[in-house]
Amino acid sequence: MSRRIAAIAPSATLAVDAQAKAMKAAGEDVIGFGAGEPDFATPDHIVEAAVAACRDPLNHRYTPAGGLPELRAAIATKTRRDSGYEVGSDQVLVTNGGKHAVYNAFAALLDPGDEVLLPAPYWTTYPEPIRLAGGVPVPLLTDETTGFRVTVDQLEAARTPDTKAMVFVSPSNPTGAVYPRDEIEAIGRWAAEAGIWVVTDEIYEHLTYDHHEFHSMPVLVPELADRCLVLNGVAKTYAMTGWRVGWMVGPTDVVKAAANLQSHQTSNVANVSQRATLAAVSGGLEDVARMREAFERRGQRMHDMLNAIPGVTAMRPEGAFYAFPSFRAVLERGEVAGTPVRTTVELAEVILEQAKVAIVPGEAFAAPGYARLSFALGDDDLGEGIGRIDELLSR
Ligand code: PMP
């Protein structure tokens, strides 16, 4: 095996989810808070578009590697509608899920030794594609005392002549943090002035709670547009995790280069999935509004239940669908139900073994002492799962 590939860590979130699903398949009564996956079915009109697409022989053939022209145009229109970012269809690349857009963004931008500022806790998938492209992830630690938000001072302190890009995610996976407008603007200005690329992941744009609002950085800071890649996809907004469609929006030369890469790597994204996505992004936002309401209610409930467990403290989720509680006071006890527990990795193991509940330890997000729990699952499982953790930790 090459050193490059041998060094890749498996996706911790998918690993936790796979383990929970395997235990379930073996007949165990496991509740999974691992994967960030809505429990809703994909809306009917999207599924119907896919069924019709299956029957059209045009979709049985290769199509352009960068995406169906009508889908690229529809994504440009949707981007204008939802975030106010004015882009043309030649600025859109359709990818095999948001994850593929992350990979190709860094592959397109980075040369060996380029540093990428990565606010932490970060989604587990960012560092690996940075490293695979020869880049160096530079984590910038944040915690609940700043609402898990990075500051311009932190970014400036970490900047070196090798800094090529920064990652910006709001609403955030794994912390659920949402940056206020003035902070997004300040960070965007700083990046534009410093000549640093911003890779901004907007996949949770429609999922914000209370008074928190989503804002797109290149809309607030238009001078950033020449050095900004916006990543997005249908997985979270339309409950379409399994369809595997995402996209990248950016300057035409970078999009063209990433499309060239894709032409050797995957060719076109499955046409049936692209047709389903066309129906999704061209349709209304009623379904996501309904799901958002359910997530807000569940997030609130999860927050209240977690905070009622001795030794657990959680920030109220502001967006996305994750709670990110601290278990540090639990770890200080050194044991759970008679089993020694010193880290959140060990804690997650004990919770899975004894309470049959899967959570993702914070180590996966460069945040030991915390864990991520998705609240994109049904109400009954949510209540039962947190109840089991409470019962185990209160023993
Ligand atoms: N970005 C973020 C921040 C995510 O949380 C996810 C899903 N976990 C993705 C991108 C990618 O989603 P997908 O590949 O399923 O489109």
Side-chain angles (χ1 to χ4, degrees):
M1 249 188 307
S2 69
R3 280 193 291 273
R4 235 175 63 245
I5 299 304
I8 299 177
S11 160
T13 51
L14 290 190
V16 167
D17 188 52
Q19 194 180 353
K21 282 179 178 155
M23 286 171 74
K24 241 187 220 168
E28 295 207 57
D29 172 24
V30 175
I31 295 179
F33 291 107
E37 178 160 66
D39 63 318
F40 299 100
T42 302
D44 281 344
H45 74 280
I46 299 173
V47 175
E48 289 309 323
V51 170
C54 282
R55 301 218 160 89
D56 181 352
L58 279 181
N59 296 316
H60 304 173
R61 307 281 173 248
Y62 291 130
T63 53
L68 294 172
E70 51 274 62
L71 178 57
R72 295 174 79 185
I75 290 170
T77 304
K78 167 251 167 283
T79 303
R80 258 173 264 141
R81 175 193 70 183
D82 294 351
S83 75
Y85 193 27
E86 295 278 345
V87 294
S89 52
D90 56 350
Q91 290 182 261
V92 178
L93 173 72
V94 182
T95 59
N96 287 279
K99 248 180 204 181
H100 189 210
V102 172
Y103 185 96
N104 284 356
F106 292 118
L109 286 185
L110 301 182
D111 279 315
D114 283 345
E115 293 175 2
V116 180
L117 304 180
L118 182 57
Y122 49 70
W123 179 42
T124 179
T125 285
Y126 298 123
E128 296 298 354
I130 293 172
R131 284 194 203 101
L132 279 169
V136 182
V138 179
L140 303 180
L141 293 183
T142 68
D143 61 24
E144 58 271 54
T145 59
T146 60
F148 291 109
R149 301 193 305 274
V150 79
T151 62
V152 168
D153 288 346
Q154 261 180 304
L155 291 161
E156 180 57 26
R159 180 159 72 101
T160 76
D162 289 326
T163 307
K164 175 73 181 272
M166 69 165 289
V167 175
F168 184 76
V169 192
S170 172
S172 157
N173 172 7
T175 67
V178 176
Y179 285 69
R181 183 189 173 111
D182 58 331
E183 292 181 22
I184 300 173
E185 216 170 316
I187 291 171
R189 283 235 181 79
W190 170 83
E193 276 161 27
I196 287 170
W197 282 79
V198 176
V199 176
T200 178
D201 189 332
E202 301 189 344
I203 205 156
Y204 296 103
E205 64 181 330
H206 291 292
L207 299 178
T208 60
Y209 312 121
D210 299 328
H211 61 282
H212 297 281
E213 278 179 11
F214 163 79
H215 294 283
S216 180
M217 191 181 275
V219 175
L220 299 183
V221 186
E223 63 269 33
L224 193 63
D226 285 346
R227 281 206 204 83
C228 185
L229 297 182
V230 177
L231 314 182
N232 207 329
V234 288
K236 321 288 172 173
T237 303
Y238 304 99
M240 289 177 71
T241 45
W243 297 79
R244 309 311 306 137
V245 183
W247 54 86
M248 172 203 298
V249 172
T252 48
D253 53 351
V254 178
V255 165
K256 181 83 184 44
N260 289 346
L261 167 62
Q262 217 162 273
S263 75
H264 294 291
Q265 189 186 44
T266 56
S267 301
N268 61 277
V269 174
N271 291 322
V272 170
S273 285
Q274 290 199 68
R275 294 277 168 203
T277 297
L278 182 58
V281 298
S282 316
L285 293 168
E286 303 79 21
D287 292 306
V288 61
R290 184 174 45 84
M291 290 189 272
R292 194 209 65 81
E293 236 168 70
F295 293 145
E296 176 149 33
R297 179 170 41 76
R298 293 171 187 175
Q300 181 59 47
R301 177 159 175 238
M302 182 180 269
H303 168 261
D304 293 346
M305 287 186 78
L306 283 170
N307 278 306
I309 304 174
V312 181
T313 50
M315 186 177 94
R316 183 192 294 259
E318 300 169 349
F321 37 55
Y322 307 101
F324 199 67
S326 163
F327 286 89
R328 281 172 298 198
V330 172
L331 299 181
E332 275 164 22
R333 293 182 215 149
E335 59 90 29
V336 168
T339 308
V341 165
R342 288 166 303 266
T343 64
T344 22
V345 168
E346 291 175 355
L347 178 67
E349 279 167 13
V350 170
I351 291 177
L352 184 58
E353 275 161 26
Q354 300 200 21
K356 308 286 180 221
V357 174
I359 65 174
V360 188
E363 283 82 350
F365 314 102
Y370 300 83
R372 192 192 78 174
L373 289 81
S374 163
F375 51 82
L377 79 176
D379 294 274
D380 293 346
D381 277 357
L382 191 155
E384 167 72 21
I386 307 291
R388 286 189 201 173
I389 297 175
D390 188 2
E391 197 273 324
L392 179 70
L393 298 186
S394 307
R395 253 185 234 168

